[in-house]
Short mmCIF file of all heavy atoms in Angstrom, two decimals:
data_model
loop_
_atom_site.label_atom_id
_atom_site.label_comp_id
_atom_site.label_asym_id
_atom_site.label_seq_id
_atom_site.Cartn_x
_atom_site.Cartn_y
_atom_site.Cartn_z
N GLU A 30 -10.59 -100.18 63.64
CA GLU A 30 -11.06 -101.54 63.70
C GLU A 30 -10.04 -102.55 64.18
O GLU A 30 -10.29 -103.40 64.99
CB GLU A 30 -11.57 -102.01 62.33
CG GLU A 30 -12.37 -103.24 62.39
CD GLU A 30 -13.12 -103.49 61.10
OE1 GLU A 30 -12.49 -104.01 60.13
OE2 GLU A 30 -14.32 -103.19 61.07
N CYS A 31 -8.77 -102.41 63.72
CA CYS A 31 -7.79 -103.42 64.15
C CYS A 31 -7.02 -102.96 65.38
O CYS A 31 -6.19 -103.77 65.88
CB CYS A 31 -6.77 -103.62 62.99
SG CYS A 31 -5.90 -102.13 62.52
N ASP A 32 -7.26 -101.78 65.94
CA ASP A 32 -6.57 -101.35 67.13
C ASP A 32 -7.60 -100.58 67.95
O ASP A 32 -7.73 -99.36 67.87
CB ASP A 32 -5.40 -100.43 66.74
CG ASP A 32 -4.61 -99.98 67.98
OD1 ASP A 32 -4.88 -100.45 69.10
OD2 ASP A 32 -3.66 -99.20 67.76
N GLU A 33 -8.28 -101.27 68.88
CA GLU A 33 -9.34 -100.67 69.67
C GLU A 33 -8.87 -99.66 70.70
O GLU A 33 -9.65 -98.95 71.28
CB GLU A 33 -10.21 -101.74 70.30
CG GLU A 33 -10.96 -102.54 69.30
CD GLU A 33 -11.88 -103.57 69.89
OE1 GLU A 33 -12.03 -103.57 71.14
OE2 GLU A 33 -12.49 -104.33 69.14
N ASN A 34 -7.53 -99.55 70.88
CA ASN A 34 -7.03 -98.55 71.78
C ASN A 34 -6.86 -97.20 71.11
O ASN A 34 -6.68 -96.17 71.76
CB ASN A 34 -5.68 -99.01 72.33
CG ASN A 34 -5.81 -100.19 73.23
OD1 ASN A 34 -6.78 -100.29 73.95
ND2 ASN A 34 -4.83 -101.05 73.18
N ARG A 35 -6.97 -97.16 69.76
CA ARG A 35 -6.94 -95.89 69.04
C ARG A 35 -8.34 -95.39 68.73
O ARG A 35 -9.14 -96.12 68.18
CB ARG A 35 -6.15 -96.06 67.72
CG ARG A 35 -4.70 -96.28 67.93
CD ARG A 35 -3.88 -96.10 66.71
NE ARG A 35 -4.06 -94.75 66.21
CZ ARG A 35 -3.75 -94.38 64.98
NH1 ARG A 35 -3.21 -95.28 64.16
NH2 ARG A 35 -3.89 -93.17 64.55
N TYR A 36 -8.62 -94.16 69.18
CA TYR A 36 -9.90 -93.62 68.91
C TYR A 36 -9.76 -92.12 68.75
O TYR A 36 -8.81 -91.49 69.22
CB TYR A 36 -10.91 -94.00 69.96
CG TYR A 36 -10.64 -93.40 71.36
CD1 TYR A 36 -11.10 -92.17 71.77
CD2 TYR A 36 -9.81 -94.11 72.23
CE1 TYR A 36 -10.79 -91.65 73.04
CE2 TYR A 36 -9.53 -93.59 73.50
CZ TYR A 36 -10.05 -92.38 73.89
OH TYR A 36 -9.73 -91.91 75.11
N ILE A 37 -10.70 -91.47 68.08
CA ILE A 37 -10.75 -90.01 67.92
C ILE A 37 -12.16 -89.56 68.15
O ILE A 37 -13.17 -90.34 67.91
CB ILE A 37 -10.26 -89.62 66.52
CG1 ILE A 37 -11.08 -90.20 65.40
CG2 ILE A 37 -8.73 -89.89 66.35
CD1 ILE A 37 -10.72 -89.63 64.03
N PRO A 38 -12.36 -88.31 68.59
CA PRO A 38 -13.69 -87.79 68.81
C PRO A 38 -14.51 -87.70 67.53
O PRO A 38 -13.97 -87.58 66.40
CB PRO A 38 -13.48 -86.39 69.38
CG PRO A 38 -12.03 -86.36 69.71
CD PRO A 38 -11.29 -87.37 68.94
N ASP A 39 -15.81 -87.79 67.67
CA ASP A 39 -16.72 -87.70 66.54
C ASP A 39 -16.54 -86.46 65.67
O ASP A 39 -16.51 -86.47 64.47
CB ASP A 39 -18.16 -87.82 67.05
CG ASP A 39 -19.17 -88.05 65.99
OD1 ASP A 39 -18.94 -89.00 65.17
OD2 ASP A 39 -20.16 -87.31 65.88
N THR A 40 -16.39 -85.28 66.40
CA THR A 40 -16.22 -84.05 65.64
C THR A 40 -14.99 -84.02 64.82
O THR A 40 -14.95 -83.43 63.69
CB THR A 40 -16.24 -82.84 66.65
OG1 THR A 40 -15.23 -83.07 67.59
CG2 THR A 40 -17.59 -82.71 67.29
N LYS A 41 -13.92 -84.60 65.25
CA LYS A 41 -12.67 -84.62 64.47
C LYS A 41 -12.81 -85.46 63.18
O LYS A 41 -12.37 -85.08 62.13
CB LYS A 41 -11.46 -85.12 65.31
CG LYS A 41 -10.19 -85.06 64.62
CD LYS A 41 -9.02 -85.42 65.47
CE LYS A 41 -7.75 -85.37 64.67
NZ LYS A 41 -6.55 -85.75 65.47
N MET A 42 -13.48 -86.63 63.32
CA MET A 42 -13.69 -87.49 62.11
C MET A 42 -14.60 -86.78 61.11
O MET A 42 -14.35 -86.79 59.96
CB MET A 42 -14.33 -88.74 62.51
CG MET A 42 -14.52 -89.70 61.36
SD MET A 42 -13.02 -90.19 60.46
CE MET A 42 -12.41 -91.52 61.54
N VAL A 43 -15.63 -86.10 61.60
CA VAL A 43 -16.51 -85.31 60.73
C VAL A 43 -15.75 -84.23 59.99
O VAL A 43 -15.89 -84.09 58.77
CB VAL A 43 -17.71 -84.70 61.48
CG1 VAL A 43 -18.51 -83.73 60.58
CG2 VAL A 43 -18.59 -85.83 62.01
N ARG A 44 -14.85 -83.51 60.67
CA ARG A 44 -14.01 -82.49 60.01
C ARG A 44 -13.11 -83.11 58.98
O ARG A 44 -12.90 -82.58 57.90
CB ARG A 44 -13.19 -81.74 61.05
CG ARG A 44 -13.97 -80.65 61.81
CD ARG A 44 -13.02 -79.71 62.50
NE ARG A 44 -12.03 -80.38 63.32
CZ ARG A 44 -12.09 -80.68 64.60
NH1 ARG A 44 -13.18 -80.37 65.28
NH2 ARG A 44 -11.11 -81.21 65.23
N THR A 45 -12.51 -84.27 59.29
CA THR A 45 -11.65 -84.97 58.33
C THR A 45 -12.42 -85.39 57.07
O THR A 45 -11.89 -85.17 55.96
CB THR A 45 -11.02 -86.23 59.03
OG1 THR A 45 -10.29 -85.86 60.14
CG2 THR A 45 -10.14 -86.96 58.07
N ILE A 46 -13.63 -85.95 57.25
CA ILE A 46 -14.43 -86.38 56.11
C ILE A 46 -14.76 -85.15 55.24
O ILE A 46 -14.60 -85.18 54.03
CB ILE A 46 -15.70 -87.08 56.55
CG1 ILE A 46 -15.38 -88.41 57.23
CG2 ILE A 46 -16.64 -87.32 55.40
CD1 ILE A 46 -16.49 -89.06 57.96
N LYS A 47 -15.18 -84.07 55.85
CA LYS A 47 -15.51 -82.83 55.11
C LYS A 47 -14.35 -82.30 54.36
O LYS A 47 -14.43 -81.90 53.18
CB LYS A 47 -16.15 -81.83 56.03
CG LYS A 47 -17.53 -82.15 56.47
CD LYS A 47 -18.04 -81.05 57.38
CE LYS A 47 -19.50 -81.39 57.78
NZ LYS A 47 -20.07 -80.32 58.61
N ARG A 48 -13.15 -82.27 55.01
CA ARG A 48 -11.93 -81.76 54.39
C ARG A 48 -11.53 -82.60 53.16
O ARG A 48 -11.24 -82.06 52.08
CB ARG A 48 -10.78 -81.72 55.40
CG ARG A 48 -9.50 -81.21 54.79
CD ARG A 48 -8.39 -81.13 55.91
NE ARG A 48 -8.20 -82.38 56.59
CZ ARG A 48 -7.47 -83.40 56.20
NH1 ARG A 48 -6.86 -83.34 55.07
NH2 ARG A 48 -7.35 -84.51 56.92
N LEU A 49 -11.65 -83.94 53.31
CA LEU A 49 -11.27 -84.77 52.18
C LEU A 49 -12.32 -84.74 51.08
O LEU A 49 -11.99 -84.83 49.90
CB LEU A 49 -11.08 -86.22 52.65
CG LEU A 49 -9.90 -86.43 53.59
CD1 LEU A 49 -9.84 -87.83 54.14
CD2 LEU A 49 -8.58 -86.10 52.91
N HIS A 50 -13.58 -84.52 51.41
CA HIS A 50 -14.62 -84.40 50.45
C HIS A 50 -14.39 -83.14 49.54
O HIS A 50 -14.63 -83.16 48.39
CB HIS A 50 -16.01 -84.30 51.11
CG HIS A 50 -17.09 -83.97 50.19
ND1 HIS A 50 -17.56 -82.70 50.03
CD2 HIS A 50 -17.78 -84.73 49.31
CE1 HIS A 50 -18.57 -82.75 49.10
NE2 HIS A 50 -18.68 -83.96 48.65
N ASN A 51 -13.89 -82.05 50.16
CA ASN A 51 -13.69 -80.84 49.42
C ASN A 51 -12.33 -80.79 48.68
O ASN A 51 -12.07 -79.88 47.92
CB ASN A 51 -13.74 -79.64 50.40
CG ASN A 51 -15.16 -79.40 50.91
OD1 ASN A 51 -16.10 -79.65 50.24
ND2 ASN A 51 -15.23 -78.99 52.16
N SER A 52 -11.53 -81.86 48.86
CA SER A 52 -10.27 -81.97 48.23
C SER A 52 -10.40 -82.57 46.82
O SER A 52 -11.06 -83.58 46.68
CB SER A 52 -9.30 -82.83 49.08
OG SER A 52 -8.14 -83.12 48.28
N PRO A 53 -9.82 -81.95 45.76
CA PRO A 53 -9.92 -82.55 44.46
C PRO A 53 -9.06 -83.85 44.32
O PRO A 53 -9.15 -84.56 43.34
CB PRO A 53 -9.43 -81.46 43.54
CG PRO A 53 -8.55 -80.61 44.40
CD PRO A 53 -9.14 -80.69 45.76
N ARG A 54 -8.20 -84.12 45.32
CA ARG A 54 -7.37 -85.29 45.22
C ARG A 54 -7.98 -86.52 45.88
O ARG A 54 -7.25 -87.58 45.99
CB ARG A 54 -5.99 -84.97 45.87
CG ARG A 54 -5.39 -83.83 45.12
CD ARG A 54 -3.84 -83.77 45.16
NE ARG A 54 -3.27 -85.05 44.82
CZ ARG A 54 -2.20 -85.50 45.45
NH1 ARG A 54 -1.65 -84.88 46.45
NH2 ARG A 54 -1.71 -86.69 45.07
N HIS A 55 -9.22 -86.44 46.36
CA HIS A 55 -9.84 -87.63 47.01
C HIS A 55 -11.25 -87.80 46.44
O HIS A 55 -11.90 -86.86 46.07
CB HIS A 55 -9.95 -87.39 48.52
CG HIS A 55 -8.64 -87.35 49.17
ND1 HIS A 55 -7.86 -86.18 49.31
CD2 HIS A 55 -7.96 -88.36 49.77
CE1 HIS A 55 -6.76 -86.54 49.92
NE2 HIS A 55 -6.76 -87.84 50.24
N ARG A 56 -11.63 -89.10 46.40
CA ARG A 56 -13.00 -89.41 46.00
C ARG A 56 -13.67 -89.90 47.22
O ARG A 56 -13.17 -90.79 47.96
CB ARG A 56 -12.96 -90.49 44.93
CG ARG A 56 -14.30 -90.86 44.46
CD ARG A 56 -14.19 -91.79 43.23
NE ARG A 56 -15.55 -92.25 42.93
CZ ARG A 56 -15.93 -93.51 42.89
NH1 ARG A 56 -15.03 -94.45 43.20
NH2 ARG A 56 -17.18 -93.86 42.63
N VAL A 57 -14.87 -89.39 47.50
CA VAL A 57 -15.60 -89.75 48.71
C VAL A 57 -17.03 -90.20 48.24
O VAL A 57 -17.65 -89.54 47.50
CB VAL A 57 -15.73 -88.59 49.68
CG1 VAL A 57 -16.55 -88.95 50.92
CG2 VAL A 57 -14.33 -88.14 50.14
N TRP A 58 -17.50 -91.36 48.73
CA TRP A 58 -18.85 -91.79 48.41
C TRP A 58 -19.38 -92.56 49.61
O TRP A 58 -18.64 -93.02 50.46
CB TRP A 58 -18.92 -92.59 47.11
CG TRP A 58 -18.29 -93.97 47.21
CD1 TRP A 58 -19.04 -95.17 47.47
CD2 TRP A 58 -16.95 -94.36 47.09
NE1 TRP A 58 -18.15 -96.22 47.42
CE2 TRP A 58 -16.91 -95.73 47.18
CE3 TRP A 58 -15.80 -93.59 46.81
CZ2 TRP A 58 -15.68 -96.45 47.09
CZ3 TRP A 58 -14.60 -94.29 46.75
CH2 TRP A 58 -14.57 -95.72 46.87
N ILE A 59 -20.70 -92.64 49.70
CA ILE A 59 -21.41 -93.31 50.74
C ILE A 59 -22.06 -94.57 50.22
O ILE A 59 -22.70 -94.52 49.19
CB ILE A 59 -22.46 -92.39 51.40
CG1 ILE A 59 -21.78 -91.17 51.99
CG2 ILE A 59 -23.26 -93.14 52.45
CD1 ILE A 59 -22.73 -90.08 52.50
N HIS A 60 -21.86 -95.68 50.89
CA HIS A 60 -22.48 -96.92 50.49
C HIS A 60 -23.12 -97.53 51.79
O HIS A 60 -22.37 -97.96 52.67
CB HIS A 60 -21.44 -97.92 49.92
CG HIS A 60 -22.09 -99.24 49.52
ND1 HIS A 60 -22.79 -99.39 48.38
CD2 HIS A 60 -22.05 -100.41 50.12
CE1 HIS A 60 -23.20 -100.62 48.26
NE2 HIS A 60 -22.76 -101.32 49.37
N GLY A 61 -24.39 -97.53 51.85
CA GLY A 61 -25.09 -98.04 53.05
C GLY A 61 -24.78 -97.13 54.21
O GLY A 61 -25.07 -95.93 54.21
N THR A 62 -24.15 -97.68 55.25
CA THR A 62 -23.76 -96.87 56.39
C THR A 62 -22.24 -96.61 56.48
O THR A 62 -21.75 -96.23 57.49
CB THR A 62 -24.20 -97.62 57.71
OG1 THR A 62 -23.51 -98.83 57.80
CG2 THR A 62 -25.74 -97.78 57.76
#
C-alpha cells in the first residue's frame, strides 16, 4: 500500500498466508475482504 513499486505474484501471497495460518506462532482471521 505505501510503496506501489513493490509487488508479489498472487500465488506467492497465497502460499505465505497458508504457511502463516498453519504456524502456531501466528493468528490469522478474515474480516470482510
Side-chain angles (χ1 to χ4, degrees):
E30 193 167 82
C31 61
D32 184 6
E33 294 184 5
N34 293 325
R35 290 196 58 197
Y36 64 91
I37 59 173
D39 192 50
T40 54
K41 184 174 180 181
M42 181 62 80
V43 171
R44 281 194 314 265
T45 301
I46 293 169
K47 286 182 179 182
R48 180 177 52 83
L49 294 174
H50 172 262
N51 292 327
S52 168
R54 300 208 49 221
H55 292 88
R56 181 170 174 242
V57 178
W58 72 97
I59 298 171
H60 180 77
T62 60

